[in-house]
Amino acid sequence: MAAPLPPRTDDWWRDAVIYQVYPRSFADGDGDGSGDLAGVRARLPYLAELGVDALWFTPWYASPMVDGGYDVADYRAVDPAFGTLDEAEKLIAEAAALGVRVIVDIVPNHISDQHPWFRAALDAGPGSPERARFHFRPGRGEQGELPPNDWPSEFSGTTWTRVPDGEWYLHLFTPEQPDLNWDHPEVRQEHEDILRFWFERGVAGVRIDSAALLAKAPDLPDFEKGVDVHPYVDRDELHDIYRAWRAVADEYGAMFVGEVWLPDAERFARYLRPDELHTAFNFNFLTCPWEPVRLRAVIDATLAEHAPVGAPATWVLCNHDVTRTVTRYGREDTAFDFATKTFGTPTDLDLGTRRARAAALLTLALPGSVYLFQGEELGLPEAEVPRERILDPMHFRSGGTDPGRDGCRVPLPWTQDGPYAGFGTDERNEPWLPQPAGWSAYAVDRQSLDASSMLSLYREALLIRRTTRGFGDGAMTWLPAPDGVLAFARPQGVQCLVNFSARPAALPAHRELLLASGPLDDGGHLPGDTAVWLRV
Ligand code: GLC
């Protein structure tokens, strides 16, 4: 193996591996059944040893937790369930000492209905400056009994709620998440101050929640079919907001990753122009089925759309909103779509796991940065959370047909023995979401002893990716390959082959087999749903 490369200090985000921590489910330091920052601090050595460059924390701020903390009541305070601001500062410093950066999550589209701004807006009444920070409107109909427009919610149902004085307010998500008015100078100033608050505390980057939804058409018109400009998705006004944010980030050398769900490549790339966001999540890759022609097309489109703006691609298979990878790949429909989620979908977890292992090598060999969702390195499946334990508003707002997103948020298994697979420390306090039977089979301690486990595969892959020239940022070239096989070359003779077909594929002549996602067959061929890294 080549000599280890020195750690990168500049533009580290161009090819970083970023691990998403969902603090409520990561590790429970105080044993109350709910994960916390003490739990994360105790497990920082695990994350450093895994070999990730940065941690992205879903919101840890003070919140009533109606939407898993995406309903923020105070950006400058850590929720007491997670710990204190002092602990967050210590965590950032301790991670940095281990060479791991911290990214926080900012939710600019909306705040909690318990935030002082919204409480003040309710008290102050119609026409007040306090209401101007939100989208309050009189209703339609004779008595104002109808909502001001026809916008559907991102979480199904209505986007308007009426307050006792008769006015309505806009919320693209739940009623507990009122949308902010981004035409208001105080809204803009406040968010720039919040960015500074966290950059001053040493965070290296910010994930921007619902980044393409902030700007609304001024008069909040109904949807008009056939009109190109959407009243609240991807409006041109957003780019000024992000240019201002970029100026703040540049003062601190910090990076952004935007949650931008936009299938249109050209519109997506606008967010990644040199004076806007550094990166954005690649949802076209996440939603793509396990199918070579489709995946190759998404990879090509991704690289083509990023190249003109000079931004690196990101590769994402999973996060706290979507079905876990091993489950999705073990189903008949291997694509992800919020609209088609149902209870009781038949799943072949062995098949899904083989594919997820191959997908890990595919993803980690592509040029750009990679996001890993906690538990992905353990090959955790999506849990089917019993209906009576579901907390996710997406489930309730669908009228109970959508299982919601709790199935990927179940607390992690750390040890084979001990309360709740080592997530907790106290038998009396069951985790906030129940762990399915057999969860301890996925425990970190058990997988650490098994060279063929998902965890061992990730550890090895991340080590090789970090220490071998040819991975990370840089060029990639497709190589000729049989039907059903994707093969591509990276610099320095690194090659990646993924076999999607049932037919074993011959490997090209090579100097070294760096890593395989599963055993080769007796003839040294690459079996189906298996990937290898070679040096030729
Ligand atoms: C984003 C988050 C999701 C949250 C929503 C509203 O999509 O990833 O978890 O529910 O925004 O803030």
Side-chain angles (χ1 to χ4, degrees):
M1 210 176 276
L5 303 175
R8 298 179 55 163
T9 48
D10 59 326
D11 292 0
W12 59 274
W13 41 269
R14 293 194 70 89
D15 53 15
V17 176
I18 299 169
Y19 185 98
Q20 180 187 355
V21 180
Y22 195 80
R24 204 171 177 185
S25 300
F26 185 73
D28 180 11
D30 64 6
D32 67 351
S34 185
D36 46 39
L37 300 191
V40 179
R41 286 172 69 195
R43 299 291 181 180
L44 285 174
Y46 166 78
L47 295 166
E49 195 196 323
L50 178 60
V52 299
D53 301 293
L55 308 175
W56 149 35
F57 285 86
T58 56
W60 58 25
Y61 322 105
S63 164
M65 303 283 163
V66 170
D67 182 22
Y70 284 94
D71 46 322
V72 179
D74 182 356
Y75 271 109
R76 296 175 181 82
V78 168
D79 195 88
F82 294 141
T84 62
L85 181 60
D86 179 57
E87 281 180 281
E89 289 174 1
K90 291 203 170 100
L91 190 163
I92 295 165
E94 288 161 1
L98 294 170
V100 178
R101 294 174 163 88
V102 167
I103 294 172
V104 295
D105 206 322
I106 299 291
V107 192
N109 181 68
H110 43 267
I111 54 178
S112 163
D113 65 345
Q114 301 305 312
H115 187 287
W117 276 12
F118 194 72
R119 305 313 304 164
L122 288 184
D123 290 347
S128 61
E130 286 83 355
R131 285 205 178 177
R133 294 175 181 139
F134 300 89
H135 298 287
F136 276 90
R137 291 287 187 284
R140 294 196 286 201
E142 256 167 56
Q143 314 292 327
E145 73 282 9
L146 299 172
N149 70 25
D150 66 356
W151 297 358
S153 170
E154 299 287 316
F155 279 178
S156 50
T158 173
T159 49
W160 292 93
T161 291
R162 199 172 192 191
V163 300
D165 58 46
E167 277 206 321
W168 298 71
Y169 67 89
L170 175 72
H171 50 85
L172 293 184
F173 294 89
T174 70
E176 292 83 1
Q177 294 164 294
D179 278 45
L180 289 164
N181 172 10
W182 274 87
D183 285 332
H184 199 296
E186 284 171 25
V187 169
R188 295 191 181 219
Q189 185 59 50
E190 169 67 358
H191 282 80
E192 290 172 29
D193 292 351
I194 293 167
L195 292 176
R196 283 206 165 76
F197 180 88
W198 288 103
F199 291 151
E200 292 288 341
R201 278 162 183 75
V203 314
V206 162
R207 180 251 187 199
I208 308 171
D209 185 76
S210 303
L213 304 182
L214 280 47
K216 315 291 188 302
D219 41 352
L220 310 182
D222 280 344
F223 276 113
E224 273 182 66
K225 291 216 169 42
V227 173
D228 294 346
V229 186
H230 194 286
Y232 67 79
V233 179
D234 183 35
R235 294 183 59 83
D236 287 340
E237 302 89 290
L238 284 165
H239 298 286
D240 271 348
I241 298 173
Y242 294 132
R243 282 191 196 100
W245 285 31
R246 178 62 180 256
V248 177
D250 283 348
E251 288 174 35
Y252 296 87
M255 58 75 86
F256 291 120
V257 54
E259 189 203 14
V260 181
W261 290 84
L262 282 185
D264 183 311
E266 191 272 327
R267 297 290 306 180
F268 176 85
R270 288 178 187 224
Y271 292 83
L272 303 176
R273 289 177 288 198
D275 58 348
E276 297 192 40
L277 309 184
H278 305 72
T279 55
F281 294 115
N282 187 348
F283 291 114
N284 293 341
F285 186 71
L286 183 153
T287 52
C288 186
W290 182 248
E291 210 267 284
V293 176
R294 301 274 297 275
L295 276 167
R296 179 173 168 154
V298 169
I299 293 166
D300 282 338
T302 300
L303 297 175
E305 78 204 29
H306 286 73
V309 286
T314 68
W315 307 102
V316 194
L317 291 172
C318 190
N319 65 29
H320 66 296
D321 292 329
V322 306
T323 308
R324 280 200 178 270
T325 319
V326 300
T327 302
R328 173 160 69 88
Y329 284 160
R331 292 180 167 172
E332 194 186 332
D333 179 4
T334 53
F336 176 79
D337 186 347
F338 284 108
T340 57
K341 289 179 74 185
T342 49
F343 286 91
T345 312
T347 307
D348 177 344
L349 279 185
D350 288 337
L351 177 66
T353 303
R354 267 201 314 281
R355 290 175 170 171
R357 293 173 66 95
L361 296 203
L362 165 66
T363 316
L364 289 166
L366 290 168
S369 65
V370 174
Y371 282 81
L372 262 184
F373 176 45
Q374 67 178 38
E376 204 174 348
E377 82 281 20
L378 304 177
L380 290 185
E382 183 84 0
E384 190 129 307
V385 177
R387 279 177 194 266
E388 66 281 7
R389 296 291 300 272
I390 294 178
L391 296 171
D392 181 18
M394 241 179 155
H395 167 70
F396 300 108
R397 288 176 63 90
S398 74
T401 55
D402 177 347
R405 301 164 296 176
D406 289 340
C408 66
R409 301 173 176 180
V410 170
L412 295 194
W414 290 95
T415 56
Q416 287 187 81
D417 309 313
Y420 307 110
F423 172 74
T425 50
D426 189 336
E427 200 71 58
R428 288 164 301 181
N429 296 327
E430 210 204 325
W432 69 282
L433 283 176
Q435 296 167 320
W439 210 232
S440 58
Y442 297 97
V444 169
D445 66 349
R446 177 170 177 170
Q447 294 204 35
S448 296
L449 299 173
D450 175 1
S452 69
S453 69
M454 187 71 96
L455 179 58
S456 298
L457 178 74
Y458 266 101
R459 282 187 175 145
E460 227 176 315
L462 294 182
L463 179 68
I464 293 171
R465 187 181 185 275
R466 203 169 57 244
T467 54
T468 308
R469 289 170 208 274
F471 287 92
D473 217 6
M476 74 165 270
T477 322
W478 293 110
L479 299 169
D483 264 2
V485 176
L486 290 184
F488 57 94
R490 300 298 324 269
Q492 313 283 338
V494 169
Q495 291 191 1
C496 175
L497 270 81
V498 190
N499 187 0
F500 296 79
S501 78
R503 241 168 310 112
L507 296 184
H510 52 277
R511 271 182 31 214
E512 190 184 354
L513 194 151
L514 295 170
L515 190 60
S517 70
L520 301 184
D521 73 9
D522 292 342
H525 290 88
L526 184 67
D529 294 316
T530 309
V532 276
W533 288 352
L534 305 174
R535 203 210 306 268
V536 300

